[in-house]
Amino acid sequence: MDSRIALHAGGVSLLLATEQGRLPEVLHWGADVGTVDEGGFDAIVDGNRWPVVPNTPDEGLILAVLPEGRYGWQGKPGLIGSRDGLDWTPDWHLTDILIDGAPLTDAVTNLGPSVLTYRAAAEAAGLALAITVEMLPQGLVRARAELTNLGEQPYRVDELTLAFPVPAQAREVMDFAGRWGNERIPQRRALTVGTHRREARHGRTGADSAYILHLGDLGFGFAHGQIWSVHTAWSGNHLHFAERDQSGAQLIGGGELLLPGEGTLLHGASYATPWLYANWGVGLDVQAGRFHDFLRDRDIHTDADRPVTLNVWEAVYFDHDPDRLLDLAERAALLGVERYVLDDGWFGSRRDDHSGLGDWVVSTDVWPGGLHPLVDRVHQLAMQFGLWFEPEMVNIDSDVARQHPEWIMQPAGRLPIESRFQQVLNLSVDGAFQHVLGQMSAVFDEYGIDYVKWDHNRDLIDACTAPLGRPAVHAQTLAFYRLLDELRARHPHIEFESCSSGGARIDLEVLQRTERVWVSDNIDPEERQRMLLWTGQLLPPELMGSHIASGRSHTTGRLHDLDFRAATAVSGHLGVEWDLGLATDDELVALAWWIDWYKANRRVLLTGRVHRVDMPDDDVVFKGVVTRNRAIFSLSMLQVTDCSNLGRLHFPGLDDEATYRVTMSGRNPVPEAQRAPWQAAEGGIQVSGRHLARVGLRCPVLRPATAVLFELDRL
C-alpha cells in the first residue's frame, strides 16, 4: 500500500510516505514546502533513500515512525515486547489509511490540519497496530500508537514509543532537569553516537523531568537556529530520548515508561501510548509560541481577566485560626485581591502533616460552624473562594486508612517508605475512587467552591495494588485523569490548579484538565525569574501561578525588595502569599499599587506573544510580551554582574513600520543617577519598531536583585 501525504499548518510541513505496505516514514518535518505534486513527491522519496554502505544490510535504512530493527535501524526499536519470547519482531503490513476517519482515496494528498490513521496487522504474531499522526492548526504535530493483542496467549509490552527523524545538522541536545524548589533548569550537551535517554520514574511528571527535549543547530537560542523538539504528554512514568546510530541517522521520541507487567495484554486487549507532541521552529520562542497557541485554543482556557489570588499557605501554614483567616480576607479585599484560597489544614485531624490526609470533611475542631463563615464573608467581599486538596494521598493516621488499609498502594506484605509522612491512595481501586469523588463533591456542593488547588506531594515509590503487589502507576495515572474529568463534569464552574510539591506535574495531558499550574514552592524572585523564563517554553504566562511573597523567602531565606518581588510576579498569573497582618503600611501601599498596575495591564501580560532575548550574562533576564498595540518588557538583574557591558537592549516582536513610545514602568524605576539619558526624557522616547529591534536602546545600570519594566505603546 503506497501513499504520499503532505500536511501543512502554521508554517510547518510534514511529509509522510508508505511503500510496499510498510509503516509510515517521515520524509520531511520542518519548514513549509508548499503543495507537493506527484512528481515532486517521487523525487523527495527517491532523494530520501539511504545509501548502502559496507557492513550494513543490502538495502538502505528504512526508518518508520515506529522504528524497526528489521529494516536496518540499529537503535532502540519502537516496540519492545514479546509473547514469552516469541513475536518480538512483528511483520507489519498496512491494512488501511484513514484521513479524518475516511479512507484514503488519492495516491498523493496535500492537506491542512488533519488526522491520519495508519492501521497495520502482523497476522503471524497475532497483533494489530494503529498509528495516529495529527497536524494541529498551530503547526504542532502529535502522534500516538495503539497495540492490540489478537492472539490467545498474553502479549507483554515492555515499551511502545514513536519517534521522528531529525536531520544530521542538529547535533545539540537541550532538555531540563531540577529538583523541588528549583524546577526546569535547562541543560545542554552534544548528541553523539548512542542514546540520550531521560526516564521519569516518579509516578508523576517530576520536578526533574526532561519537560521538552530539543535537538537543534549548535548554539540555538531564543531567536535563532532550527530546532526539533518532542514532549511526552503523560502525568505518570515516562521517557524522552534522542538517538544517533553509526550511519548518522538520528531521531527523537518518547512515550510511557511501563513498569513490569503494566503492558501485559490479554486476548483482545489494547495498550495506547500517550500523545507525543513534536514541534519544529527557528528559535525557542517560535516553538514556545506554538505551544502557547495550542493551549490558548483549549475549550477550558480562561480569559485574560484572571483574578488576582491570595493563597494563605505561607501566611498561616497549619494554624487555621478563623479570626486570623477572616482578617486576611478583609485585608486582601482592601488591596484589590479577587480570589482567596484556603490551603492545607481545614479537614479531618489535619493540624500538621502527620495525620488527617484522605479525610475530606471539614474539621469541626477548627471550624465548629463549618467553613460557611469564611466562605460567605469571602463571597461578600466580591472574591472567589478556593480550597486545597491532595486527593491521591493519605496519612496512615486517618479515618480512611484505618477503615480501608487495602486502599493504600503497597507491595505484598509491606508498606512503602513514607514521604512527607504520607502514603498513596490507590485510585484504581473503585472503593477508593468513589470515596474521594464523593467527599470532594460533597464539599463542592455545600460550600460553592470556585477554585481547587490540587496537590500531589510525594513520588509513587513501590506503587503496587494490594494484596499481590502488581505495579499500579499506569492505572493510577488513568484513574487520576478519570477523577478530575468526573469532578469537572459535575462542577463545570470550578477552576483547577495542578500543584505537585510545586511544579512536579506539568505536562500537556494534565493541562487538558487544569487552568493553572503552581510553578514551584519556591517564591524567591531570583529563582522564580529563571523558572518563569523556562516554564514558559511550554506554558503561556496566564497558566503560571506567580505570587508576591513576604520579604524574606520561606524557602531560601534571602531578603528581597518588594518592587523586585512584584516585578517578577507580574510575569505570570499574579497572586499574593504573605501574612498581610505583618506587612507595614508602606508595604501595603506598594502592594496595592502593583495589584492595580497588574489589573490595568493583564490583558497585555496574559494574551501577548512572549519574546525572550539571549543575554551575554545568565544572571540577566530580558523578556517581554507583545500585542498589536502595546508591549511590556522586563529587565532583571539577578546576581552581581558587570551590567555596564550589557550594551543596548533590543526589543523583538514589534511592528517594524510602527512608532512606539517607550517609558520605564514600576513603582520605583531606576534611580536617576543610574539611568541612560533616554530614560530621563519626559514622557519617554519615541522610536520605530525597526530601530528598537535592530539598533536598540542603551541599558540602564541595575543593582543585583532588581528589575525594571518598560512599557511600549504604539502611536
Side-chain angles (χ1 to χ4, degrees):
M1 179 179 290
D2 292 354
S3 68
R4 310 280 191 269
I5 302 175
L7 304 178
H8 313 277
V12 178
S13 289
L14 178 71
L15 276 56
L16 301 108
T18 59
E19 292 188 294
Q20 302 177 31
R22 293 191 295 261
L23 299 179
E25 299 177 65
V26 172
L27 306 176
H28 170 77
W29 164 41
D32 194 338
V33 298
T35 300
V36 185
D37 60 19
E38 185 172 359
F41 239 128
D42 288 342
I44 291 171
V45 170
D46 290 340
N48 187 62
R49 299 189 194 281
W50 284 80
V52 178
V53 298
N55 202 36
T56 64
D58 291 341
E59 295 184 16
L61 171 66
I62 298 170
L63 190 55
V65 176
L66 183 82
E68 299 177 87
R70 64 193 294 239
Y71 291 121
W73 171 242
Q74 297 167 330
K76 188 188 80 68
L79 172 62
I80 301 175
S82 74
R83 203 184 308 276
D84 195 19
L86 304 177
D87 303 326
W88 63 274
T89 175
D91 183 15
W92 296 113
H93 292 277
L94 281 176
T95 59
D96 297 284
I97 301 176
L98 307 177
I99 298 177
D100 294 330
L104 174 69
T105 56
D106 299 320
V108 176
T109 305
N110 285 268
L111 300 165
S114 304
V115 180
L116 308 181
T117 305
Y118 296 88
R119 293 176 179 165
E123 295 179 1
L127 297 171
L129 176 69
I131 297 174
T132 301
V133 180
E134 181 176 3
M135 172 65 83
L136 295 163
Q138 302 81 14
L140 287 174
V141 177
R142 64 179 183 177
R144 67 192 309 179
E146 184 173 21
L147 185 74
T148 302
N149 178 22
L150 303 178
E152 294 301 323
Q153 299 302 314
Y155 190 90
R156 173 170 166 166
V157 179
D158 293 319
E159 209 166 274
L160 182 60
T161 57
L162 299 178
F164 289 83
V166 175
Q169 73 190 61
R171 298 296 295 277
E172 185 172 359
V173 175
M174 186 186 90
D175 58 12
F176 296 85
R179 55 176 172 75
W180 175 82
N182 195 25
E183 293 91 333
R184 285 166 297 285
I185 304 304
Q187 55 184 14
R188 293 181 182 243
R189 65 194 63 185
L191 179 65
T192 55
V193 172
T195 305
H196 172 84
R197 179 180 171 104
R198 293 291 309 282
E199 295 185 352
R201 294 180 177 270
H202 300 284
R204 51 181 172 170
T205 317
D208 63 344
S209 79
Y211 195 48
I212 309 165
L213 187 148
H214 307 78
L215 185 55
D217 296 341
L218 292 176
F220 63 83
F222 290 127
H224 66 277
Q226 284 199 88
I227 312 165
W228 294 259
S229 70
V230 291
H231 167 82
T232 301
W234 185 247
S235 307
N237 294 340
H238 66 281
L239 67 136
H240 295 83
F241 58 88
E243 193 163 13
R244 179 180 175 88
D245 78 358
Q246 64 178 4
S247 72
Q250 54 188 41
L251 47 74
I252 53 175
E256 184 179 7
L257 198 160
L258 294 166
L259 295 178
E262 285 189 322
T264 299
L265 302 178
L266 302 179
H267 173 70
S270 298
Y271 166 72
T273 69
W275 282 112
L276 178 70
Y277 286 78
N279 192 350
W280 170 85
V282 176
L284 291 163
D285 279 352
V286 169
Q287 292 204 327
R290 296 193 200 285
F291 284 131
H292 296 180
D293 289 345
F294 169 71
L295 288 165
R296 285 170 169 170
D297 199 40
R298 300 171 306 159
D299 291 339
I300 67 170
H301 199 71
T302 57
D303 63 24
D305 292 324
R306 309 220 56 194
V308 176
T309 297
L310 174 78
N311 185 289
V312 305
W313 176 243
E314 287 195 1
V316 303
Y317 291 103
F318 288 107
D319 183 15
H320 280 211
D321 175 77
D323 290 338
R324 186 180 179 192
L325 288 165
L326 282 165
D327 179 68
L328 275 172
E330 301 282 351
R331 292 174 183 271
L334 288 174
L335 293 171
V337 169
E338 299 158 308
R339 175 188 287 156
Y340 181 102
V341 179
L342 184 65
D343 213 286
D344 193 358
W346 56 268
F347 52 90
S349 60
R350 188 74 166 175
R351 307 290 78 78
D352 55 32
D353 55 4
H354 288 66
S355 71
L357 198 59
D359 299 332
W360 303 110
V361 178
V362 176
S363 171
T364 55
D365 294 338
V366 179
W367 301 96
L371 292 176
H372 291 292
L374 179 61
V375 176
D376 292 348
R377 184 56 184 151
V378 166
H379 285 155
Q380 289 169 4
L381 292 167
M383 292 188 290
Q384 297 179 7
F385 187 85
L387 203 53
W388 181 94
F389 288 85
E390 194 174 5
E392 297 140 276
M393 300 297 158
V394 64
N395 287 125
I396 295 298
D397 183 7
S398 65
D399 292 342
V400 64
R402 282 185 286 271
Q403 294 168 12
H404 293 283
E406 73 280 7
W407 289 355
I408 298 172
M409 279 194 170
Q410 55 194 288
R414 59 182 169 85
L415 285 175
I417 59 172
E418 285 194 338
S419 180
R420 209 191 181 210
F421 312 106
Q422 63 193 50
Q423 298 286 359
V424 182
L425 195 67
N426 192 341
L427 296 182
S428 68
V429 176
D430 186 63
F433 182 95
Q434 296 300 331
H435 162 80
V436 177
L437 175 63
Q439 288 199 336
M440 291 182 70
S441 289
V443 173
F444 295 168
D445 287 335
E446 180 174 356
Y447 292 103
I449 303 301
D450 305 296
Y451 180 86
V452 168
K453 180 180 178 182
W454 188 304
D455 215 334
H456 182 285
N457 276 313
R458 65 158 291 166
D459 289 346
L460 273 57
I461 299 169
D462 283 344
C464 305
T465 297
L468 298 179
R470 297 190 183 280
V473 172
H474 174 78
Q476 178 80 351
T477 307
L478 293 176
F480 158 62
Y481 292 151
R482 184 164 60 95
L483 175 62
L484 189 45
D485 289 343
E486 179 61 28
L487 287 169
R488 292 189 66 92
R490 293 186 182 189
H491 311 278
H493 67 285
I494 295 180
E495 182 176 325
F496 287 85
E497 173 185 2
S498 176
C499 174
S500 185
S501 308
R505 185 152 65 184
I506 300 176
D507 59 79
L508 285 182
E509 190 58 35
V510 75
L511 282 162
Q512 300 308 306
R513 299 163 171 84
T514 52
E515 290 92 338
R516 189 186 199 250
V517 304
W518 186 225
V519 172
S520 176
D521 283 341
N522 185 353
I523 321 179
D524 180 317
E526 291 181 50
E527 305 304 327
R528 273 302 186 100
Q529 283 282 351
R530 295 186 178 93
M531 287 187 280
L532 288 166
L533 183 77
W534 289 110
T535 302
Q537 191 57 35
L538 185 69
L539 304 187
E542 62 269 28
L543 295 186
M544 297 189 289
S546 188
H547 291 185
I548 303 170
S550 56
R552 187 171 297 280
S553 170
H554 288 213
T555 304
T556 67
R558 289 190 293 215
L559 188 65
H560 294 97
D561 179 78
L562 172 57
D563 292 303
F564 180 49
R565 284 141 52 202
T568 297
V570 296
S571 290
H573 176 208
L574 185 65
V576 178
E577 195 145 346
W578 182 5
D579 186 350
L580 299 176
L582 300 179
T584 67
D585 290 343
D586 287 345
E587 287 175 324
L588 293 175
V589 169
L591 185 56
W593 187 96
W594 278 105
I595 290 173
D596 288 344
W597 182 90
Y598 181 81
K599 289 180 178 179
N601 290 283
R602 60 184 160 192
R603 296 203 69 83
V604 175
L605 294 164
L606 304 184
T607 65
R609 177 73 65 189
V610 173
H611 292 274
R612 297 162 295 180
V613 180
D614 292 296
M615 301 298 287
D617 192 307
D618 289 341
D619 282 322
V620 180
V621 177
F622 186 48
K623 62 183 180 180
V625 286
V626 180
T627 63
R628 185 182 183 279
N629 293 317
R630 187 164 162 75
I632 298 173
F633 279 79
S634 168
L635 175 67
S636 303
M637 184 73 67
L638 305 186
Q639 295 292 337
V640 175
T641 187
D642 186 358
C643 58
S644 63
N645 286 337
L646 295 179
R648 295 174 178 150
L649 298 174
H650 297 271
F651 296 78
L654 305 173
D655 184 343
D656 280 355
E657 305 305 318
T659 299
Y660 294 84
R661 178 185 292 113
V662 185
T663 56
M664 284 200 304
S665 180
R667 198 180 64 93
N668 286 315
V670 179
E672 187 171 345
Q674 295 174 302
R675 301 182 188 186
W678 73 267
Q679 296 150 17
E682 186 70 25
I685 188 173
Q686 295 183 21
V687 191
S688 73
R690 177 180 288 105
H691 290 167
L692 284 167
R694 293 166 176 77
V695 179
L697 298 173
R698 185 64 60 186
C699 179
V701 177
L702 297 183
R703 296 186 300 272
T706 59
V708 62
L709 304 180
F710 302 96
E711 298 184 37
L712 289 73
D713 290 289
R714 181 176 182 147
L715 301 179

